Amino acid sequence: RDGVVQTVKVRLPERLYDEPERIHAFARGVLDRIQSLPGVKSASLINSAPFGRMFIRDDFDIEGQPKPTFDAGQPKIDAGYFKTMGIPLLAGREFTARDTAEAPKVAIVSERIVRECFPGGPGEALGRRVRMSNRGEWLTVVGVVADIRQMGLDREVQPMLYVPFQQERGGVVRFVSFVARTATPASTGEGI
């Protein structure tokens, strides 16, 4: 009814893409081309697409609270990801083009994290700060999205802590999945 989601996965060679700036420039260029293709309603990217084999999980902290007793998936995404994938925004905002490496560090959490860590609901999570794996900077929660089944329809819902792809500077992201919502199942991949 709302179109078809198509995915193109890319693995970037280390010898050519050894710095975050080069990876981000490549991703931005490809994403700009995809978004300009006829029939594309929206497009974005993620480093670990749903139902893929790669799924990065780790522990996390919430400022001022005991450490959660579960891990969370920690995908890096670009603006428009939730719209493209049809994942409802429950509170706050999605990432935008302004969430760059120079901007304040932000995160979006899934409703499972809210259920288990914020008894007051999605509104309580907004503005709170989270940190991944006892390291790195604190990230301000700017949004809450619906749960997804990241590992497959037959698997349980995974808690997710999304961060902007353009703010990722620590670990070099070599796997990128471009996602596009098109009006019909056309061959978007040919236009890239």
Side-chain angles (χ1 to χ4, degrees):
R1 181 183 88 183
D2 227 9
V4 176
V5 174
Q6 299 182 59
T7 304
V8 175
K9 296 179 184 179
V10 177
R11 181 175 188 265
L12 302 174
E14 185 174 351
R15 67 186 188 338
L16 298 175
Y17 296 96
D18 56 349
E19 299 173 1
E21 292 77 18
R22 294 186 74 161
I23 293 167
H24 294 150
F26 168 82
R28 182 81 262 147
V30 172
L31 197 52
D32 288 346
R33 282 184 291 202
I34 293 172
Q35 291 169 331
S36 69
L37 292 173
V40 172
K41 294 179 168 188
S42 64
S44 190
L45 62 84
I46 184 171
N47 70 318
S48 55
F51 304 159
R53 290 183 292 177
M54 188 175 96
F55 181 58
I56 299 166
R57 303 170 54 136
D58 210 342
D59 61 347
F60 66 102
D61 294 304
I62 300 171
E63 189 175 45
Q65 289 188 206
K67 187 170 200 62
T69 58
F70 57 93
D71 292 345
Q74 299 176 358
K76 283 68 172 158
I77 65 171
D78 203 53
Y81 178 76
F82 301 116
K83 175 184 175 188
T84 301
M85 297 299 288
I87 301 169
L89 179 69
L90 304 177
R93 68 170 178 90
E94 292 196 33
F95 298 139
T96 70
R98 292 185 306 264
D99 293 315
T100 63
E102 296 77 31
K105 304 305 182 243
V106 294
I108 294 174
V109 298
S110 66
E111 62 183 320
R112 177 152 177 219
I113 289 178
V114 170
R115 277 194 310 275
E116 301 204 22
C117 301
F118 299 103
E124 182 184 341
L126 296 177
R128 298 292 299 274
R129 296 194 326 156
V130 295
R131 179 174 57 189
M132 295 182 271
S133 308
N134 281 330
R135 65 186 189 289
E137 300 176 79
W138 288 102
L139 315 170
T140 301
V141 175
V142 295
V144 176
V145 293
D147 287 330
I148 63 166
R149 295 185 183 277
Q150 176 77 16
M151 299 303 292
L153 296 176
D154 60 338
R155 302 284 187 88
E156 72 177 74
V157 166
Q158 297 293 316
M160 304 293 275
L161 199 159
Y162 300 91
V163 296
F165 183 79
Q166 295 295 329
Q167 288 188 349
E168 176 58 36
R169 293 291 189 247
V172 176
V173 177
R174 297 206 192 291
F175 297 92
V176 180
S177 292
F178 296 94
V179 294
R181 182 170 293 276
T182 60
T184 60
S187 51
T188 299
E190 291 177 9
I192 299 176

